[in-house]
Amino acid sequence: MKRFFKYIAVAILSSGISSCLDFDPKEQLADGNLWGKPGDFEAAANLFYEWTPGFGLAFNDYIHSDQRSDLIIDKSAKNVYSNGTNTVPASDGDYTNGYKHIYRCNLLLKHSENYSNPDEIRQSVGEAYFFRAWSYFQLVQKYGDVIIVKTPIDVNDPAMNAKRDSRSDVVDFIVDDLNRAAEYLKPTSEVAEGRVGSEGAQAFLSRVALYEGTWQKFRGNESRGVELCGIAADAARSVIDSRQFELFAPEALGDSAQKYMFILEDVKCNPAGLTKSSNREYIFKRCYDQTLNPNGKNLTKAILCNAQLVSAKFANMYLCSDGLPIEKSPNFKGYETIKSEWENRDNRMRYTLCRPGDFFWSNNNPRIDWSGSKEEIAVSQTVSVNPAAISTGLIPNGGTGYYPQKMATERQVEDRYESYDWPIIRYAEVLLNYAEAVFERDGAISDRDLDISLNLTRQRVNKKMPKLSNSFVTANGLSMREEIRRERTIELFQEGFRIDDLKRWKTAEVEMPMDFLGIRWIGEWRSKWGNMSLPVNATGNIIYESGRKWEEKNYLYPLPVDELQLNPNLGQNPGWAGI
Amino acid sequence: MKHRLSKWASQMPILLFPLGAALCVPAVVTAAPASAVQDKSEVVSGEVLDASGEPLIGASVLVKETKQGVVTDLDGKFRITASKGSTLVVSYIGCKTKEVRVTGPSLVITLDDDNSVLGEVVVVGYGTQKKETLTGAVTVVGEKSLANKGTLSSPVQALQGQVPGVVITRGSSAPGDESWNMSLRGAVSKNSTPPLVIIDGVEYESVNELRLLNPSDIESINFLKDAAASIYGSKAAGGVVLVTTKNAKEAGRVKVEYSGSYTFKNIGLSAELMSLDQWADAVVAARTNDGYGSDDTWIKYAKMAKQYRNKYIDLRHSVDPIGLGDIDDLVFFDTDWQDIMWGNSWSTQHELSVSGGTEKNLYRLSGGYMYDDSNLKWGNNHNQRVNFRLNNTFKLSDKLTLQSVIGYNRQDQVAPTQIGSALNTNSQQPGFPASTIDGKPYGWGGSKWATPNWLCELGGDNWLKVSAINISETLRYEIIPGLTANAVVGYNTSSATRDVKSEAIDFYNYAGDKKLWQKPTQSDSYYESSFGNTDFYSLQGYLNWSHTFKKDHSLALMGGWQYNYKTYKYAKTKVKDIQSSMDIPNGSGEVTIPEAHNWEEAIMSYYGRLNYGFQSKYLIEGQFRYDGSSKFQADNRWAFFWGVSAGWRIDQEKFMEGTRNWLSNLKLRASYGNVGNQSGIDRYSGQMLYKFTQTGKVMIGGQMVSTIDTNGKLISLDRSWERVHNYNVGLDFGLFDNKLSGTVETFWKKTNNMLIDVTYPHILGDAAPTANLGKFKAWGYEGSVSWNDKIGDVSYHIGGTFTYVDNELVDNGGSGALKNGVRSDREGYPLNSVFGLRYCGKIQTEEQLRRYKERYASNSSVGNIGLLRLGDNMFQDVNDDGKLDANDYVYLGTDDPKIQFSFNLGAEWKGFDVNFIFQGAAKRTVWRTDGNNNPDIWRIPQRAVYMNQSNHWIGDVWSLDNPGGNYPSLTNQSDINTYNYQCSSWSVEDGSYLRLKNVTVGYTLPKSLIAKTKVISNLRIYATGTDLWEISHIKDGWDPEAARTITAARRYPFLRTWTIGANITF
């Protein structure tokens, strides 16, 4: 029996050491077993790519989407951010998520400091800088001043009760991060498809610097504005000079090149049989694939003559084929017939919006051979607004009368399985950033600079349209600034730029309160679209929404109530109710 | 088992008292030394009878002087060698032990029934105590409470409402998915505090695990409700449930026991759906109220439904008269879906045990089988349970005993994979036929309405197989008399496999000649296979010592050490696009591992207990436990818990002598203890954790790449256990020779370091860890009383239990935003409090309507008041600020019943017995919702025009002619329905009920008759009914015991069951 007790005693003592209470997690990674190899950093950085916008920008209500601007309105609900009636929210996911993202970048950067062979993880570190800048830019655009957090912090950190840092400090921080990102990231040609490369960082820097440069310039801070526009111009120029990118303009697609770029896939989706690989315009994109990564949104159905309506203001911004605005061009045919205003216009107009009388195909009613034959017309989309469309083509009889078609596919594919890539940053934007940055920096732009930038997008599908030049502007009594802005608005429609542009130009107070107008309900329209129930204005335009307003406070969003309560030093943005 | 207990008990001061009747003989028998027959001895023969004159088989007869003993035979007779004038000690379980002087060569000894429970030995954790010297709040439930109940999906089922302070609830009546839940005296924290379950000294996963035990194998279930639980330390905040399984009771005879029962189950309370006519009338009424005329599609549809009742229109041969589009036929069948889906069913349970052994080895081997069929008429749905258990007591030497428990159990459960789709509120569509004309699955329309019965029948099976082996080996060594050492090795292993097959089903038009579509589609069909394994190891060593000094001072000490280690592994594989005939993971589609787990945790503990009694009158007990948990960082993983309790047996006092003739027992008890809770803490607290996702949402380089994210939580380095302070005062009493006995107790509990979420500014980047900052308190009282007596040949008993529990979330770091529904985040209110508007009548007149709208339409946030019409609900602006908003929500009660009660009465006469158990709950407010806290859709008439709802409202709808109608005028407008049916004093229901839980009628054949068979020694037949009758205030058709949340798969109706059974002992 003595032996028995000995065993018991040994068992108790040997198990008594506390190591039998120390376990390492097995189904999760912990600091102890992470951050030891390049793959860990890469996987942590892969997460950042989930934060980039996708097609939601094209047709959902989202902070940057055109539904919050003067170009697009959602058919079913008035947008409170667009008509200026938004209020202070109880909480705000954009604020929470912004810092969630920044925290993850900071975490990666912190752990990179102790990594034994820094060269192995340069790309991931570059991505952390890029996405930290990306996240801060989202915050600055929305709230202006925000607290800068450079490292992972805990609940006792003084930042918990800090005042906000000024937007200038934040933008300087972003510029630093992007410069570092450009240094760390590999060239785009060397990174896997879908990753951001060093040109991506430069391109994004041009966006950020132009945003803040013009913001400051049009708020009386000329020198700061000019400095930042200089940074923007230089960054854009470095992308241009890299010669890695070009506008998508294959001859086979002719004047429809821009349309098909947005719906390019690896299957038969365009008349020329081109695939994604022929597109060298996207600098940084979010990749989709019908099998592996379908976009998951009912894209074509939502876009093509369904959920969104376009304003007459936007339709009227398209130049005539002679390069002149409709008010000045002798080629403009007026509004007497339903098709007249569409004649002699920028080709992008009929490929971005839906021209009455045209036939449209969708993922459920796909093209057969692009011949426009009887058989093909027979399957064309029976557009919901117009049951008679099959025989006569589209005749709008609802909403504003202007419908978009950009990013609606024509090939056969199940709903939500469209899988073209989303352009997070494309070369056309960089060209337009360059033109505007140079102009705002110098107060003028040379014809040479216009030719390497703006005129490329202007003439992509309008080969015969005269170039924009200083002499053309002078001869026709145009404003160079206005033409640069027009080109930007036309080219980047529905890609999430317009409302941010109006804010930085400080023209939202003029543009946004205007009534949201539809077609001129005159002439032929009155017979084709009989029971129009909306009011019309003096020029005969349908008033889709009136009473819109824009106050000074609307240039920034309010901070949410919960954050104001949690940190009383945060302070509310001007004009918004505090707590 | 009691045999073992008696031996343990013999080490303790209670040895001072005569061994009670409940203590068995063999202990004494085996202890008898072989001694020579003395000169004056002679053989004495006799017979032992019970109070009714029946012979007692197996009664123990012991010569007090020589310690020699024998056991009575089948006729109750014995022969023993004893000298004249010596004393025989005769004892039998359930009878009072009697001492008889030997006066002649033959004796007839009659034993009286023992109504007293004072002699009982109670398992209290690492030892036993005699009930009379117990100072804690411990309730014991014996095997009787578990017997003759018919098929029990879990032993817990038999205890519902029977044990004071123990609240037992069930979630569903689906076979195998009942989700039995138990709480001892309600909540003690926001974080869950389930009771700690210990079976034969080894810890189990949860109360739900008890479902795998064979009820007949259970000797006793003890509930430790107060400081007594402190001996279990860090996991004992929710109280402790100690289960002891049976062992052989006596050496020598082989005893074979069989019990079997057959149970018939029919539908009890359940929601009833509208008939086709009721539905059509409701549609017309609602659409008319909504301003639609006779040209309205749905009004036309409803009128056609009545016109063409039980007919159909094949649209290939006629024009669609309504113009719905995208359909193949119009069907107007008066289908009672509840009737189609549900029917009668049965279940059965059989148990067989063999026990016996020698003085050196006692054994009990038992096997059990249960089959429980479902009342769902379609598809495969049942639950089976198989148990084996071998309990052995080996007497290795005079001083060394090994108690061995080996249990195996298995559960086989199957349910239709698509049960969720089949039972959701959308699927039982009015007018649809159950099958096509030629008996195939019927489907309707382009939006793919599938008939629910076929989803169950053909959609594939979901099989769950659980196997568990439980081993508990206790080695006990008596070092010196009064001092024993115990070593326990426990091992539980349990594996669960789940095979889920989701098969594609072809749906047809009513004519059955056109295949419409598949649901789910072949490409979405899948085979999911998962395997989970839990291993639990327990090592324990403890010493028990007891001694009595100078007769009056009894002292007992216990001290020990324990290490528990648990590990869990789980992985699930899913393959899509399957070959439906194969029963292995297969398919040509995507293969994924949707879920995988692997973790381990351990607790090491030191514990001890001291008992001191003075003259058995003044009793005091102290206990402690020092626990270290692997969940915490090394610096703060150890914690000390302790408790003290005291008892005063007033009836033993000299000054009470005058009361002895009527007062048999009076004991006052008081205790304080603190116990811990670590459920609010994740494993590996203090380590920064990350989530690895194999294929994330990002496509890079043509592939979906892996991502690593944080687990969403920042780390905390200073968190600790929740500590619950537990106070209890109780009084035990017994009157008139314990014919009347009972207990009343009151308790209160406090937690001052409850783990709660604290919100910081979100610049932190992730959620801050929970912190020990919350405060919580709970209180209540409970009692039980019983009366046992005899009138002539009839013995009878009446008893009852009562429990009241309440709690308050004192400090939650500030209340959350005001929201309606069931909330557990409001300071100053109990958990699961219901908040909503206060109803103040229907809008009866246009003037009322105008004024109500004028006042609230533009400034209310409780619904779209501008849309309201006559007959809609009005709610009160409680705070009188001219607005109807969240500030007007009032407290409407709690979802947890504050009161639980039961009473039982029964009688026995010449072998006949009858017993009634009534059970009920009160002070419960039921807010019936779906899984997302939205009002359950079946409750809202005409919530959607095409849907069927329960018909509880028919005939009670407000109209100008029926201004007293309880339900608002019908509408299809969801804004109005949402407003009317939101959580309010009008829409919540009173959850109190009284139910006839159990009626048993039985007959035990006379032993004299049975004995003649020479084979059977006991035979009892009985009939039992459960849930037979109730008073309930629930209006929407559900059973009052149903959980308030009704998710699709839980939409099983509740049942009434009828059992016949027999117990036979060979």
Side-chain angles (χ1 to χ4, degrees), chain A residues 1 4-5 8 11-12 15-18 20-31 34-35 40 42-44 46-47 49-50 95-96 99-100 103-104 107 111 147 149 153-155 159-160 192-195 286-289 292-293 562-563 566-567, chain B residues 400 475 477 479 485 487 539 541 561 563 565 596-604 606 628-630 634 637-638 684 687-690 692 696-712 714 759-766 768-769:
Chain A
M1 279 313 108
F4 167 68
F5 283 109
I8 294 270
I12 291 178
S15 334
I17 52 175
S18 69
C20 51
L21 295 176
D22 286 325
F23 300 127
D24 288 323
K26 292 175 174 173
E27 66 176 73
Q28 286 162 310
L29 299 166
D31 267 346
L34 189 70
W35 310 112
D40 296 346
E42 190 179 310
N46 285 344
L47 180 79
Y49 289 86
E50 286 184 10
Y95 190 91
T96 313
Y99 281 102
K100 216 173 173 173
Y103 169 63
R104 280 150 180 78
L107 214 51
H111 287 285
I147 295 173
V149 183
I153 55 171
D154 66 19
V155 296
M160 287 283 126
E193 193 180 19
R195 276 197 196 285
R286 184 146 191 176
C287 299
Y288 292 96
D289 180 87
L292 294 174
N293 194 26
D562 61 349
E563 298 300 334
L566 292 165
N567 175 7
Chain B
L400 190 63
L475 195 61
Y477 179 65
I479 302 165
L539 277 178
W561 167 93
Y563 177 69
Y565 170 83
H597 300 288
N598 184 359
W599 52 256
E600 52 194 339
E601 62 184 38
I603 287 192
M604 193 186 296
Y606 302 88
S629 166
S630 66
R637 67 163 51 121
W638 289 93
Y684 320 115
Q687 295 205 54
M688 174 93 198
L689 297 175
Y690 298 86
F692 176 79
K697 296 180 197 149
V698 176
M699 189 164 145
I700 285 173
Q703 289 174 340
M704 302 307 289
V705 293
S706 308
T707 56
I708 288 174
D709 194 2
T710 70
N711 72 340
L714 295 173
T759 312
Y760 288 94
H762 287 102
I763 63 166
L764 210 47
D766 263 339

Side-chain angles (χ1 to χ4, degrees), chain B residues 607-642:
Chain B
Y607 45 82
R609 180 171 50 220
L610 166 92
N611 294 74
Y612 170 74
F614 178 69
Q615 291 179 342
S616 296
K617 226 169 13 184
Y618 308 107
L619 308 162
I620 185 159
E621 176 177 298
Q623 50 203 331
F624 80 90
R625 189 174 181 114
Y626 186 56
D627 272 337
S629 166
S630 66
K631 283 187 171 187
F632 298 88
Q633 293 264 296
D635 307 346
N636 49 353
R637 67 163 51 121
W638 289 93
F640 187 78
F641 302 92
W642 59 277

Side-chain angles (χ1 to χ4, degrees), chain A residues 382-451:
Chain A
T382 314
V383 175
S384 56
V385 292
N386 181 19
I390 282 189
S391 53
T392 59
L394 171 76
I395 299 178
N397 60 0
T400 61
Y402 295 111
Y403 291 98
Q405 61 152 306
K406 187 168 168 174
M407 300 181 196
T409 193
E410 294 180 335
R411 76 170 180 112
Q412 178 155 28
V413 58
E414 257 187 82
D415 290 352
R416 300 172 190 273
Y417 280 81
E418 297 96 328
S419 52
Y420 14 102
D421 295 339
W422 172 262
I424 303 165
I425 304 173
R426 64 182 173 102
Y427 191 47
E429 183 210 340
V430 174
L431 298 181
L432 296 170
N433 286 349
Y434 180 70
E436 187 180 343
V438 168
F439 179 82
E440 298 297 351
R441 177 189 65 194
D442 304 338
I445 182 168
S446 67
D447 288 353
R448 219 184 129 263
D449 274 340
L450 284 171
D451 285 349

Side-chain angles (χ1 to χ4, degrees), chain A residues 169-236:
Chain A
D169 290 347
V170 185
V171 169
D172 288 344
F173 185 67
I174 297 172
V175 171
D176 279 354
D177 267 1
L178 287 175
N179 282 328
R180 233 170 289 168
E183 181 192 328
Y184 276 84
L185 293 171
K186 292 179 192 165
T188 310
S189 58
E190 291 174 29
V191 297
E193 193 180 19
R195 276 197 196 285
V196 64
S198 59
E199 296 90 341
Q202 293 287 2
F204 186 58
L205 178 56
S206 78
R207 184 190 290 181
V208 174
L210 178 64
Y211 185 92
E212 186 62 8
T214 47
W215 178 283
Q216 294 294 349
K217 181 172 175 180
F218 298 114
R219 284 165 179 78
N221 203 343
E222 181 79 23
S223 60
R224 169 81 174 160
V226 165
E227 178 202 336
L228 283 162
C229 286
I231 293 173
D234 293 346

